[in-house]
Amino acid sequence: AQTVTQSQPEMSVQEAETVTLSCTYDTSESDYYLFWYKQPPSRQMILVIRQEAYKQQNATENRFSVNFQKAAKSFSLKISDSQLGDAAMYFCAYRIPLKTSYDKVIFGPGTSLSVIP
Amino acid sequence: DGGITQSPKYLFRKEGQNVTLSCEQNLNHDAMYWYRQDPGQGLRLIYYSQIVNDFQKGDIAEGYSVSREKKESFPLTVTSAQKNPTAFYLCASSRLGTGIYGYTFGSGTRLTVV
């Protein structure tokens, strides 16, 4: 069964500094997708960044980038120049393409990020 | 603007009562999902539907029921059989055919048993 692990329940970062959130996953699939979602105190889930497993190039979205290591099944999120608005719960997630009727996104337990002014 | 609307934002349930959480989307997405969120446990899948009039149980379906009579709507009923229903409930939708789009989420419903 596919699982997603986030080993850091809580992290903190100074404003303007860089922080990296860790994520590992377990799968026997070769083709899949990975995501990072952000959930601020409003509890609205927001898609931060996504990565296709067949692409070797790491995805970037402005201050957010990932380090995707397929062989190690690792998908970490780096936030550069941290801002107060980055304070949130971050969820790593995994999805397989629709090959059967079973298609869903599997979420990790989350990492709570605090930003210190 | 396209999106997912969940209502109500807050809901209170008395012991032994059934309550229904609404989820409506105007994104023309085929698939819809219900997740439950508890502190420290991330998101757990309750039910999902990929087509009208069809739905599948997720990991924690006991005590819940759903219907999918219209593509746009996927209401969740929390029945009296659900022994610990106090939680935050999130509805999501997605395109099918490719996984790259991920989910679009509603803003959630906070259910409390009183």
Side-chain angles (χ1 to χ4, degrees):
Chain A
Q2 294 92 356
T3 58
V4 178
T5 302
Q6 293 177 250
S7 60
Q8 307 150 316
E10 297 178 351
M11 291 194 72
S12 62
V13 61
Q14 291 280 102
E15 195 174 5
E17 297 295 310
T18 295
V19 63
T20 298
L21 308 184
S22 300
C23 172
T24 59
Y25 55 94
D26 183 25
T27 184
S28 58
E29 301 285 339
S30 60
D31 187 20
Y32 50 87
Y33 306 95
L34 296 163
F35 307 88
W36 278 99
Y37 282 88
K38 170 185 176 181
Q39 188 180 41
S42 68
R43 308 201 76 171
Q44 176 71 54
M45 293 282 281
I46 302 164
L47 179 63
V48 175
I49 198 166
R50 53 189 160 206
Q51 174 81 40
E52 294 152 283
Y54 67 86
K55 288 187 176 180
Q56 292 187 332
Q57 186 174 5
N58 289 323
T60 61
E61 288 287 343
N62 300 313
R63 297 183 296 107
F64 298 88
S65 61
V66 298
N67 183 5
F68 174 48
Q69 303 289 328
K70 191 172 184 179
K73 298 179 183 176
S74 172
F75 184 61
S76 60
L77 175 70
K78 185 171 81 171
I79 306 174
S80 304
D81 186 25
S82 296
Q83 301 175 359
L84 295 178
D86 295 332
M89 183 73 80
Y90 286 83
F91 293 97
C92 179
Y94 160 95
R95 184 178 194 178
I96 58 173
L98 184 63
K99 295 180 181 178
T100 68
S101 61
Y102 186 73
D103 171 40
K104 68 177 185 181
V105 174
I106 300 169
F107 291 86
T111 296
S112 178
L113 178 66
S114 301
V115 179
I116 303 167
Chain B
D1 290 339
I4 298 181
T5 301
Q6 287 188 244
S7 61
K9 191 174 180 68
Y10 299 96
L11 186 57
F12 298 90
R13 193 195 93 168
K14 294 181 180 179
E15 294 282 351
Q17 196 176 47
N18 291 357
V19 291
T20 298
L21 284 60
S22 172
C23 178
E24 303 274 338
Q25 56 99 357
N26 60 4
L27 299 165
N28 199 33
H29 285 172
D30 291 297
M32 297 187 73
Y33 309 81
W34 275 106
Y35 282 86
R36 171 178 171 143
Q37 186 176 20
D38 294 283
Q41 295 195 44
L43 279 69
R44 293 184 291 167
L45 182 65
I46 305 172
Y47 268 98
Y48 67 105
S49 168
Q50 296 174 342
I51 192 171
V52 173
N53 292 324
D54 185 60
F55 45 83
Q56 307 295 327
K57 291 183 179 180
D59 302 315
I60 55 165
E62 185 175 352
Y64 300 97
S65 66
V66 294
S67 63
R68 186 88 185 275
E69 297 177 1
K70 299 186 300 181
K71 186 176 183 178
E72 301 78 21
S73 178
F74 191 42
L76 173 73
T77 297
V78 184
T79 74
S80 57
Q82 171 50 240
K83 298 307 179 187
N84 184 23
T86 294
F88 187 67
Y89 292 85
L90 280 164
C91 180
S93 71
S94 174
R95 301 183 193 182
L96 291 179
T98 173
I100 189 57
Y101 296 105
Y103 286 174
T104 301
F105 283 89
S107 56
T109 293
R110 175 70 184 178
L111 174 62
T112 304
V113 174
V114 296

